[in-house]
Amino acid sequence: MYTTPCAFVTGASRGIGRAIAIGLAREGFNIVGNATGYDVNDRSRGLAETQERIEELGVAFLPAAGDIADLRTHQGLLEKTCDRFGHVDVLVNNAGVGPRQRLDFLDVTPESFDHVLGVNLRGTFFLTQRFARHMVERKAREPAERPKIVFITSISADTSSPTRSEYCLSKAGLSQLARVCADRLAGHGINVYEVRPGIIVTDMTAPVKEKYDALIAGGAVPQGRWGKPEDVARVVTALARGDFDYSTGGVFEVSGGMNIRSL
Ligand code: NAI
C-alpha cells in the first residue's frame, strides 16, 4: 500500500519545473522528475541537482529522463512511476520549449513549427491522455482519491508575440486542452487546472533578459518585477494540495497583473 502521494513533473531539471518539484516535495509528495536527458543550454546540473534538493526534504525522487515529444516513451514513463510509487496523484505538464530562433511570423519554418508544437502541444496532449487513463482507472478502484492535472501554459496563450507565433499557438492550444480535459474528467473526480505564468526568470528567458528588463521598467508588468519560478510553484502547490477542490477548468494567472487591460 502506498500512503505518500506522488507527483509527476515534466521539465523538472531546472527553472519553473524544478521549483514546482521542490514545492510539491515540501508538501510531502514523492516526485518523479522528467526532462530531456542532456541539454547543452542547461547551466544547472539538471535532474541530478533537482534530486539532491528534493531528497534533502525527506521525500523520494525518481529521475525519469525522456523526450515527451516522442510518444513511444509515455507508457514507459508511467510504468516506471507506478513500479516505484504505485500510482500518480498529480501530473504537472510543465515541460515546454520556445522556438530555437525567434523569427517573424512571415519567416517561421515548418521545422520550427513542428518542433515547438511537437513538444508543447502534441507531446503534452498524448502524455496527458496516457496519465488520465491511469487516473480514471485508479479512481474507479479507489474513489476517495482526488487526482489532479496541472498545465503550465503562458500569457502567450492569449498575448500575441509576432516573433514567437508558433509558441503562442502551442500555448493557446494547451489552454484549450486544459479546458477540454477539465470537462471530460470532472465526472471522474479528476480536477484540471491551467497555470499561466508571465515573465519568469529562468534559462528560457535568459537570452532576452535585457529586452524584458526594459519592458518591465517601462511598465509592462503592473507589479513591476520579474516573476520567480517559486511564484509559479506556490500556485501549483496550492492546487495540488487540494485548496481549490471545488474548482476545475480555471485559469490561474501568475504574471504580476499582465492579465489586466489598462487604458
Ligand atoms: P526552461 O527552458 O528553463 O526549462 C524547460 C524544462 O523542460 C527543462 O527541464 C527541459 O529539460 C524540459 N524539456 C524541454 N523539452 C522537453 C521535452 N521534449 N521532453 C521533456 N522535457 C523537456 O523553461 P522554464 O522557463 O522553466 O519554463 C517551464 C514552462 O513554463 C515551459 O512550458 C514554458 O513555456 C512555460 N513558461 C515559461 C515562462 C518564462 O518566462 N520562463 C513564461 C510562461 C510560461
Side-chain angles (χ1 to χ4, degrees):
M1 193 59 197
Y2 300 89
T3 48
T4 306
C6 166
F8 188 101
V9 182
T10 67
S13 68
R14 65 187 200 183
I16 295 172
R18 175 183 286 160
I20 290 170
I22 291 171
L24 293 175
R26 285 211 177 93
E27 198 56 39
F29 284 83
N30 287 326
I31 307 293
V32 185
N34 156 265
T36 33
Y38 177 67
D39 181 345
V40 283
N41 296 314
D42 197 341
R43 287 182 275 148
S44 71
R45 292 192 304 112
L47 283 178
E49 186 173 333
T50 306
Q51 173 156 19
E52 211 170 282
R53 292 180 58 185
I54 281 179
E55 287 175 349
E56 277 168 11
L57 297 167
V59 293
F61 180 84
L62 177 67
D67 178 354
I68 61 161
D70 181 354
L71 309 195
R72 293 167 303 181
T73 64
H74 294 175
Q75 179 63 19
L77 291 172
L78 180 62
E79 280 173 8
K80 186 173 176 159
T81 305
C82 292
D83 285 350
R84 176 77 182 272
F85 298 123
H87 54 254
V88 181
D89 294 278
V90 175
L91 168 66
V92 183
N93 286 310
N94 162 79
V97 291
R100 291 190 176 108
Q101 196 185 353
R102 290 185 179 215
L103 291 176
D104 181 73
F105 163 69
L106 297 175
D107 302 315
V108 171
T109 62
E111 290 72 26
S112 182
F113 183 98
D114 289 347
H115 172 60
V116 173
L117 275 285
V119 177
N120 296 4
L121 193 52
R122 186 172 183 269
T124 304
F125 182 105
F126 286 104
L127 185 80
T128 306
Q129 182 192 63
R130 189 68 209 84
F131 278 60
R133 285 182 190 145
H134 159 78
M135 288 175 174
V136 167
E137 284 161 17
R138 177 164 176 244
K139 265 298 273 191
R141 286 194 313 273
E142 300 173 54
E145 296 304 326
R146 302 286 304 164
K148 294 171 183 65
I149 300 173
V150 180
F151 290 86
I152 307 300
T153 65
S154 166
I155 53 165
S156 298
D158 69 353
T159 302
S160 164
S161 296
T163 57
R164 290 188 303 156
S165 50
E166 65 276 57
Y167 180 79
C168 295
L169 182 61
S170 73
K171 293 298 185 176
L174 206 55
S175 173
Q176 177 65 338
L177 175 59
R179 201 169 300 118
V180 170
C181 282
D183 185 17
R184 175 62 182 85
L185 299 174
H188 293 280
I190 300 167
N191 286 7
V192 182
Y193 306 104
E194 175 186 350
V195 173
R196 202 177 268 191
I199 303 174
I200 313 294
V201 194
T202 68
D203 291 278
M204 183 184 267
T205 47
V208 284
K209 182 173 180 310
E210 280 175 20
K211 175 184 168 180
Y212 286 160
D213 278 345
L215 283 172
I216 293 169
V221 178
Q223 291 187 349
R225 68 162 173 90
W226 282 79
K228 298 184 206 127
E230 292 72 24
D231 290 318
V232 183
R234 272 194 292 276
V235 174
V236 175
T237 303
L239 294 168
R241 191 167 54 211
D243 291 3
F244 294 82
D245 261 2
Y246 189 54
S247 167
T248 192
V251 180
F252 293 77
E253 284 259 357
V254 192
S255 64
M258 290 184 81
N259 47 304
I260 302 165
R261 287 189 192 186
S262 167
L263 266 178

